[in-house]
């Protein structure tokens, strides 16, 4: 039933992908053939001729209610230890005693369920919407129900070679939609192979992830392989029931675990398909749950009270003396109990819990301590600007190098048409804004609020821009330079940034420590742990740990290499602006360049200068300002590179 509820969001998404000239791949775990066989076996001869079969999952739900709905009366007694217990009641003949109210409630629920219109299984609904001629089905089904031109159901048999024929039709471009399952997808590839006629970018919908991580990886890998024209877009499909994230979390955790077992890197399994906040069994989630229990005990949560939570879930977090228990329920048990709650309450509890999780993930990301495993950076090209030998192992002869790379990345902006498809611009909650200083534009949409450890809510907004997305709190957004802009101006500016991005490459420099890293791992910056693989279009790749430019001098000193080669002026300026970390400038005087906040604006400031050379600094382009009776020396942002270069030469 939950799988069928995903159809209202899946079918329009497939249509949007087709409209964008993409090829669509839908991944399932199972099909409805077993249900079809059961229905056919139950039909009479007259019903077989009419062939009106309902394949909705209603039968499974009804059978579950008949067998599992609690209708037996329970007798409460006290055991030898004085603890209250209960057991099912039976009459004198040994028959179970039923609760009439519970039986009536169960029968009423079954009656209403059977009165609902049938919900088609996902596979059949997709075929019905787009037609047999547009869909390549690789599921292993030997027969299926289709709707003919006259609108009546028809039973169609499929040969064992149907999977081969359907796969060829998709790879040749005769059919733009492919649906595959575990039963029919073994040993096949559906990627945009350079030798195939259909080289359109694949949009891979993960409709039914299942519980097996290896099967999920195998399915995802069928559309993402070598020798492909483009990488696929993965789209996990979920409903708006927050509790369903329990299942996505299990897949995310198992993908990460499988990646760690295969190649010693967590990203091998998940490939960053899931956000760290999606793993509800991570250390961040466990810490957030412990704090959630504390806020619940203190009565600081809006979704549910302590008394009601304990009554609905059967979880007790209080000691007999009224204090918070030390042995709190584990997160797996808490997640399972939450799934049994009404959907509205379930969503409210999950929103507060996820607010605590995302607050911790955001804090770790801002501090540079969020472990994402190995991150692959796809670039058009890269060049090694400099190669510094850091260490040579005396036993193995293995070396450690610090490479300064110049990488060029192709920009992939979000088109305006795609933006309109994702977010309704007419929605009053979606605000087009423009930065009055930079001239850049963004669409402000509401985001999930964060929850502090004290239970206070921090309202957040997501700023969607053509090339990236950022998040800001409501207070920071109100004090920023983002101001509302007219929709027509917003559209023109957005498309202008799209055209600007399409005509250029993003060129940047980074330092990468490569080679034998374990002996020098403790010398690398502890507040910036990021392992990256630089993969160029020509097939070359480099694997190592990124070292921010601001940490390079400290790394040289830690390894006994002195100060090393002085950093180029543009590297110093970019590093200070990006990280805010003060850096020394190679000059006659012991100068330090840092980022300072003056009158609400960020400036570049020079410290350590000599008063006797003040006029010379001003002649190079610097300017002064007296603040609190002290003369301070600043570098203009517009000409920072030229000014710092002149100071370095002087």
């Amino acid at each position: 039933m939950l799988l069928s509820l995903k159809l209202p969001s899946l079918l329009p998404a497939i249509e949007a992908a087709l409209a964008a000239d993409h090829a669509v791949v839908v991944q399932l775990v199972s099909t409805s053939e077993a249900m079809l066989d059961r229905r056919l076996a139950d039909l009479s001869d007259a019903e077989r001729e009419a062939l009106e079969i309902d394949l909705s999952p209603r039968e499974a739900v009804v059978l579950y209610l008949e067998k599992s709905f609690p209708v037996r009366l329970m007798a409460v007694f006290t055991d030898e230890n004085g603890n209250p217990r209960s057991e099912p009641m039976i009459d004198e003949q040994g028959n179970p005693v039923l609760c009439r109210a519970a039986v009536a409630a169960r029968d009423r629920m079954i009656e209403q369920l059977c009165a609902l219109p049938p919900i088609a299984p996902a596979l059949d609904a997709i075929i019905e919407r787009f037609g047999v001629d547009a869909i390549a089905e690789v599921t292993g089904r030997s027969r299926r129900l289709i709707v003919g031109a006259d609108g009546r159901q028809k039973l169609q048999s499929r040969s064992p070679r149907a999977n081969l024929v359907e796969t060829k039709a998709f790879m040749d471009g005769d059919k733009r939609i492919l649906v595959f399952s575990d039963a029919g997808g073994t040993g096949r590839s559906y990627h945009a192979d350079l030798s195939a006629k259909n080289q359109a970018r694949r949009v891979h919908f993960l409709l039914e992830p299942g519980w097996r991580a290896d099967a999920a990886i195998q399915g995802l890998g069928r559309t993402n392989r070598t020798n492909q024209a483009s990488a696929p877009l993965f789209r996990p499909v979920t409903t708006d029931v927050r509790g369903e994230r329990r299942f996505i979390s299990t897949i995310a955790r198992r993908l990460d675990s499988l990646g760690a077992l295969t190649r010693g890197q967590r990203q091998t399994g998940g490939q960053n398909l899931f956000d760290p906040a999606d793993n509800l069994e991570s250390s961040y989630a466990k810490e957030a749950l412990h704090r959630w229990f504390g806020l619940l005990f203190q009565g600081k949560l809006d979704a549910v009270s302590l008394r009601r939570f304990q009554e609905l879930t059967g979880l007790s977090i209080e000691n007999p003396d009224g204090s918070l228990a030390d042995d709190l329920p584990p997160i797996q048990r808490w997640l399972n109990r939450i799934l049994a709650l009404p959907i509205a309450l379930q969503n409210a509890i999950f929103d507060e819990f996820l607010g605590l999780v995302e607050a911790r993930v955001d804090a770790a990301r801002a501090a540079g301590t969020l472990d994402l495993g190995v991150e692959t950076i796809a670039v058009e090209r890269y060049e090694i600007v400099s190669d510094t030998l850091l260490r040579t192992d005396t036993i193995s002869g293995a070396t450690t190098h610090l490479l300064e790379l110049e990488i060029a990345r192709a920009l992939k902006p979000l088109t305006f048409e795609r933006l309109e498809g994702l977010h309704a611009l007419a929605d009053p909650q979606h605000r087009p804004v423009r930065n009055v200083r930079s001239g850049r534009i963004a669409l402000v949409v509401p985001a999930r609020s964060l929850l502090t450890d004290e239970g206070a809510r921090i309202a957040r907004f997501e700023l969607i821009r053509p090339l990236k997305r950022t998040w800001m709190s409501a207070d920071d957004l109100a004090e920023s330079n983002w101001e509302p802009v007219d929709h027509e101006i917003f559209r023109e500016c957005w498309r202008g940034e799209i055209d600007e991005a399409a005509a250029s490459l993003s060129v940047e420099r980074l330092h990468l420590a490569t080679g034998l890293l374990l002996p020098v791992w403790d010398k690398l910056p502890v507040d910036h742990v990021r392992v990256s693989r630089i993969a160029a279009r020509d097939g070359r790749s480099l694997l190592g740990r990124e070292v921010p430019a601001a940490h390079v001098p400290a790394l040289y000193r830690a390894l006994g290499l002195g100060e090393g080669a002085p950093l180029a002026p543009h590297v110093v300026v970019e590093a200070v602006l990006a990280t805010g970390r003060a850096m020394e400038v190679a000059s006659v005087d012991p100068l330090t360049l840092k980022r300072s906040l003056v009158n609400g604006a960020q400036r570049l400031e020079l410290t350590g200068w000599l008063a006797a050379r003040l006029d010379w600094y001003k002649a190079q382009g610097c300017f002064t300002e007296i603040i609190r009776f002290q003369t301070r020396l600043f570098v203009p942002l517009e000409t920072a590179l030229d000014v710092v270069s002149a100071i370095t030469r002087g």
Side-chain angles (χ1 to χ4, degrees), residues 464-527:
I464 303 175
R465 302 171 62 180
L467 292 174
K468 64 179 181 179
R469 298 187 176 197
T470 56
W471 284 262
M472 296 182 66
S473 66
D475 294 340
D476 291 341
L477 182 62
E479 298 176 359
S480 67
N481 294 310
W482 294 100
E483 294 185 354
V485 67
D486 182 75
H487 281 77
E488 290 298 327
I489 299 177
F490 175 76
R491 183 182 295 105
E492 294 178 3
C493 293
W494 189 283
R495 288 177 173 163
E497 291 192 25
I498 293 292
D499 296 338
E500 179 184 346
S504 61
L505 296 175
S506 173
V507 180
E508 56 185 288
R509 292 200 178 192
L510 60 86
H511 291 81
L512 195 71
T514 64
L516 185 62
L517 294 181
L518 189 58
V520 301
W521 192 266
D522 59 339
K523 305 296 190 300
L524 299 174
V526 296
D527 57 347

Side-chain angles (χ1 to χ4, degrees), residues 366-368 523-528 547-558 567 569-585 591-597 602-607:
K523 305 296 190 300
L524 299 174
V526 296
D527 57 347
H528 188 91
V547 179
H551 294 79
V552 171
L555 176 61
Y556 284 144
R557 289 193 294 267
L567 297 176
H570 70 276
V571 176
V572 175
V573 172
E574 293 173 0
V576 172
L577 288 175
T579 65
R581 187 184 181 96
M583 295 186 63
E584 296 181 359
V585 178
L591 297 178
T592 300
L593 185 68
K594 68 176 185 177
R595 193 177 67 187
S596 302
L597 184 65
Q602 295 290 349
R603 293 187 185 181
L604 287 175
E605 182 178 3
L606 282 173
T607 61

Side-chain angles (χ1 to χ4, degrees), residues 83-229:
N83 299 319
R85 301 202 178 268
S86 61
E87 63 180 3
M89 295 180 62
I90 56 176
D91 58 17
E92 296 177 352
Q93 289 76 31
N95 300 317
V97 179
L98 304 182
C99 173
R100 294 182 179 180
V103 172
R106 182 196 62 186
D107 294 343
R108 175 61 176 166
M109 185 179 300
I110 294 176
E111 180 185 33
Q112 292 178 341
L113 179 63
C114 294
L116 295 175
I119 300 175
L123 177 56
D124 295 327
I126 294 173
I127 294 177
E128 183 178 351
R129 169 69 70 90
F130 299 100
V132 177
D133 297 335
I135 296 176
E137 179 187 338
V138 186
T139 60
R141 292 199 299 181
S142 60
R143 52 185 174 177
R144 63 184 181 183
L145 281 176
I146 62 173
V147 180
D150 56 357
R152 300 182 61 185
Q153 288 181 337
K154 294 182 179 180
L155 187 62
Q156 184 185 64
S157 299
R158 308 179 76 234
S159 68
R161 296 187 67 255
N163 289 339
L164 295 175
V165 175
E166 296 282 54
T167 300
K168 185 177 185 302
F170 176 74
M171 298 301 288
D172 288 345
D174 298 331
K175 296 185 176 182
R176 298 178 59 195
I177 304 175
L178 180 138
V179 182
F180 78 95
S181 67
D182 292 347
T186 303
R188 292 185 174 86
S189 299
Y190 312 124
H191 63 296
D193 197 299
L194 295 176
S195 62
K197 295 180 181 179
N198 182 8
Q199 297 183 14
R201 187 171 194 178
R202 274 58 169 156
V203 181
H204 189 137
F205 292 98
L206 185 62
L207 181 60
E208 191 178 6
W211 292 90
R212 291 179 53 195
D214 55 344
I217 296 172
Q218 190 177 44
L220 297 176
R222 302 207 177 280
T223 56
N224 186 21
R225 300 196 172 185
T226 58
N227 196 43
Q228 61 187 1

Side-chain angles (χ1 to χ4, degrees), residues 391-398:
R391 181 183 182 275
T392 301
D393 190 76
T394 57
I395 299 176
S396 64

Side-chain angles (χ1 to χ4, degrees), residues 242 245 280 284-285 287-293 295-297 299-306 309 334 338 344-360 448-453 455-458:
R242 299 292 190 273
R245 294 192 61 166
L280 301 184
Y284 303 109
E287 181 183 344
L289 178 62
H290 189 276
R291 188 56 199 156
W292 186 88
F293 280 128
L295 295 175
L296 176 67
F297 182 78
K300 294 185 177 180
L301 296 178
D302 298 331
V304 65
S305 65
L306 175 60
F309 174 79
W334 180 82
I338 293 297
L345 178 59
Q346 185 180 133
N347 289 352
I349 291 176
F350 256 90
D351 280 338
E352 292 183 332
F353 170 65
L354 292 176
L356 289 169
V357 176
E358 292 182 1
R360 282 157 173 76
R448 178 183 289 107
S449 299
L450 299 181
L451 204 62
T452 67
D453 287 350
R457 287 183 175 271
I458 302 178

Side-chain angles (χ1 to χ4, degrees), residues 191-358:
H191 63 296
D193 197 299
L194 295 176
S195 62
K197 295 180 181 179
N198 182 8
Q199 297 183 14
R201 187 171 194 178
R202 274 58 169 156
V203 181
H204 189 137
F205 292 98
L206 185 62
L207 181 60
E208 191 178 6
W211 292 90
R212 291 179 53 195
D214 55 344
I217 296 172
Q218 190 177 44
L220 297 176
R222 302 207 177 280
T223 56
N224 186 21
R225 300 196 172 185
T226 58
N227 196 43
Q228 61 187 1
S230 60
L233 297 174
F234 291 116
R235 294 287 183 265
V237 184
T238 62
T239 64
D240 58 355
V241 179
R242 299 292 190 273
E244 192 182 356
R245 294 192 61 166
R246 169 74 171 91
F247 308 105
I248 295 295
S249 168
T250 300
I251 294 298
R253 176 178 58 82
R254 294 187 180 183
L255 284 174
D256 289 343
S257 300
L258 185 59
L261 291 174
T262 53
R263 295 187 185 176
Q265 56 186 64
R266 279 173 293 280
Q267 196 230 12
T268 303
Q271 290 297 314
N272 285 347
L273 173 61
F274 299 100
D275 187 86
D278 289 328
N279 186 354
L280 301 184
E281 298 178 43
S282 64
S283 58
Y284 303 109
K286 292 177 181 178
E287 181 183 344
L289 178 62
H290 189 276
R291 188 56 199 156
W292 186 88
F293 280 128
L295 295 175
L296 176 67
F297 182 78
Q298 297 171 14
K300 294 185 177 180
L301 296 178
D302 298 331
V304 65
S305 65
L306 175 60
R307 180 179 178 181
R308 189 184 181 203
F309 174 79
Q310 294 184 140
E311 290 177 352
L312 292 176
T313 62
L315 296 177
S316 178
I317 64 172
E318 279 187 299
N319 289 320
D321 60 357
S323 60
L324 181 65
D326 295 329
D327 186 16
L328 295 173
I331 192 166
Q332 292 85 357
R333 187 187 306 165
W334 180 82
L335 289 170
N336 291 334
R337 300 294 176 90
I338 293 297
L339 288 174
L341 300 180
I343 292 179
L345 178 59
Q346 185 180 133
N347 289 352
I349 291 176
F350 256 90
D351 280 338
E352 292 183 332
F353 170 65
L354 292 176
L356 289 169
V357 176
E358 292 182 1

